Amino acid sequence: MADKCPECGSQNLSTDSRRAEKTCIKCGLVLEERQIDTTQEWRAFDYEQKQKRDRTGSFLTYTRHDKGLSTSIGDQGYSDLYKLAPSKRAAFYRLKRWHRQVSTATERNLRYALSELDRISSAIGLPKNIRETTALIYRKAVTRGLVRGRSMESVVAAALYAACRKHNVPRTLDEIAEGSGVKKREVGRTYRFITRELGIKLLPTSPIDYISRFSSELKLSPKTQERAIAILKSAQGKDLISGRGPTGVAAASIYVASTLESEKRTQREVAEVAGVTEVTIRNRYKELIEELGIEDKMAEAAA
DNA sequence: AAGACGAAAGTGGTTGA
DNA sequence: TCAACAACTTTCGTCTT
């Protein structure tokens, strides 16, 4: 899951399959050990061999209420049915019908929640792995009885927010709130509740994670993106990031980078996509250029 | 006319007694 | 539970290009 070393931040990781370990090349920290080998131990040269040697079915997925493992009572072999006593036959039909309509409260809840999840995530445009994570979190929340007394939508939204952060593709609370129709405040509150109850630990979002998304919305060149990230990285050690809203900091660095790379965007434009006000950008970017000693460069580029 | 600037008052959430 | 508090927003008048 982690693609960065938590110790030194290096992304230079190595996976050694013989030792079943994942290590950081820079500082030597072992990130994962006793990895499970998920590759096949057999080969199949044609379809028949594959049929014979396959021991598994399709993938498990958490986005289906039954994890994709559904089995239904078949329609085949009805002729045999007439050999049974009428009462047995009636029982068969009853079972079949009962089976078709999933009956426990949890399952029905899950079905509804997952269709809700589909709606929201396609509205915001989120990849499949995030849906999977969301579904998993939601499933845990349901089995722990955390949904009681809360609207289901808010729990789905909160799980989605958590999943996005876990995958380092953060969406702002505003975006989630808009897509789900749950109030921002409610999403935040539920998010805090379920992460606490489920013991999910998430680091504060880094502004860097927002750069690529905001930049592409502003149609900025890759060079400017790089610049914005570089600005953030050099600001990291200087206590300009912590305690500040990550979106504001991201917006400020994009504003500065776009000016320096002569691809200028107005504060208004940047503020729009980042979901902050111009005033915030001003405050943040003043701090940034002051601390990094690039005030004159900035003034020069603006002129 | 549009963008940038900054002061001042208001808002929602966190923290610590 | 309440007050203090920091970050952020809203609003608005002024300056710059």
Side-chain angles (χ1 to χ4, degrees):
Chain A
M1 193 70 63
D3 50 2
K4 244 195 294 181
C5 173
E7 196 63 29
C8 65
S10 165
Q11 299 195 355
N12 202 356
L13 306 178
S14 140
T15 303
D16 183 336
S17 57
R18 290 183 59 192
R19 293 187 186 202
E21 281 176 0
K22 190 181 191 182
T23 53
C24 171
I25 290 183
K26 197 164 160 210
C27 68
L29 181 75
V30 178
L31 293 156
E32 273 178 47
E33 53 185 341
R34 302 188 191 188
Q35 290 175 325
I36 295 169
D37 184 354
T38 53
T39 57
Q40 292 172 342
E41 82 286 10
W42 49 263
R43 290 196 296 166
F45 296 96
D46 56 35
Y47 182 73
E48 197 184 331
Q49 279 187 9
K50 179 165 168 23
Q51 284 284 302
K52 257 189 187 158
R53 295 180 185 180
D54 255 344
R55 290 181 237 104
T56 58
S58 52
F59 295 108
L60 273 179
T61 172
Y62 288 101
T63 53
R64 299 288 296 267
H65 69 93
D66 51 12
K67 304 187 193 178
L69 283 175
S70 43
T71 302
S72 46
I73 295 176
D75 295 329
Q76 307 289 316
Y78 269 43
S79 51
D80 287 343
L81 215 55
Y82 294 98
K83 295 175 189 161
L84 296 170
S87 64
K88 292 279 184 195
R89 205 164 49 190
F92 176 84
Y93 283 122
R94 244 184 295 120
L95 274 174
K96 188 170 157 61
R97 192 159 137 254
W98 177 83
H99 193 210
R100 206 173 333 127
Q101 56 191 28
V102 176
S103 57
T104 75
T106 310
E107 297 230 324
R108 231 181 300 126
N109 184 321
L110 273 173
R111 275 197 172 176
Y112 186 56
L114 293 171
S115 72
E116 182 70 12
L117 166 62
D118 251 11
R119 194 182 63 72
I120 301 171
S121 55
S122 65
I124 322 182
L126 290 170
K128 213 168 159 193
N129 59 341
I130 295 201
R131 295 186 201 195
E132 284 284 322
T133 309
T134 309
L136 178 59
I137 294 172
Y138 185 81
R139 190 178 286 274
K140 279 185 184 165
V142 170
T143 51
R144 292 276 297 275
L146 303 179
V147 187
R148 288 183 69 121
R150 249 164 281 273
S151 81
M152 211 205 62
E153 286 86 352
S154 73
V155 180
V156 172
L160 187 59
Y161 179 65
C164 287
R165 286 182 58 166
K166 197 168 183 179
H167 285 277
N168 291 326
V169 283
R171 307 283 132 153
T172 59
L173 275 177
D174 279 313
E175 290 168 298
I176 304 265
E178 184 157 341
S180 65
V182 180
K183 287 210 187 67
K184 177 184 168 187
R185 204 182 131 161
E186 186 65 23
V187 180
R189 224 177 43 198
T190 314
Y191 162 76
R192 250 172 287 122
F193 177 73
I194 65 170
T195 46
R196 180 159 42 84
E197 290 297 316
L198 295 177
I200 298 173
K201 292 227 173 57
L202 292 168
L203 297 168
T205 314
S206 161
I208 295 176
D209 295 329
Y210 286 109
I211 296 294
S212 65
R213 199 155 53 86
F214 291 165
S215 300
S216 70
E217 261 182 75
L218 289 165
K219 302 200 181 359
L220 290 165
S221 68
K223 206 173 157 210
T224 308
Q225 282 193 42
E226 289 299 322
R227 186 99 186 220
I229 291 172
I231 290 171
L232 287 175
K233 283 202 170 139
S234 50
Q236 228 153 25
K238 299 196 167 107
D239 212 32
L240 291 178
I241 310 283
S242 69
R244 307 279 141 87
T247 46
V249 180
S253 79
I254 288 177
Y255 176 70
V256 173
S258 78
T259 307
L260 292 178
E261 294 289 335
S262 49
E263 273 194 293
K264 184 147 177 85
R265 298 291 181 271
T266 64
Q267 294 180 354
R268 177 82 232 124
E269 289 170 310
V270 183
E272 183 86 15
V273 302
V276 297
T277 60
E278 297 152 83
V279 182
T280 304
I281 293 185
R282 287 202 278 277
N283 293 335
R284 288 298 89 78
Y285 104 81
K286 282 277 155 55
E287 294 169 359
L288 279 179
I289 61 175
E290 190 176 323
E291 197 62 39
L292 301 177
I294 52 175
E295 288 139 302
D296 25 331
K297 264 200 220 166
M298 192 63 188
E300 207 178 291

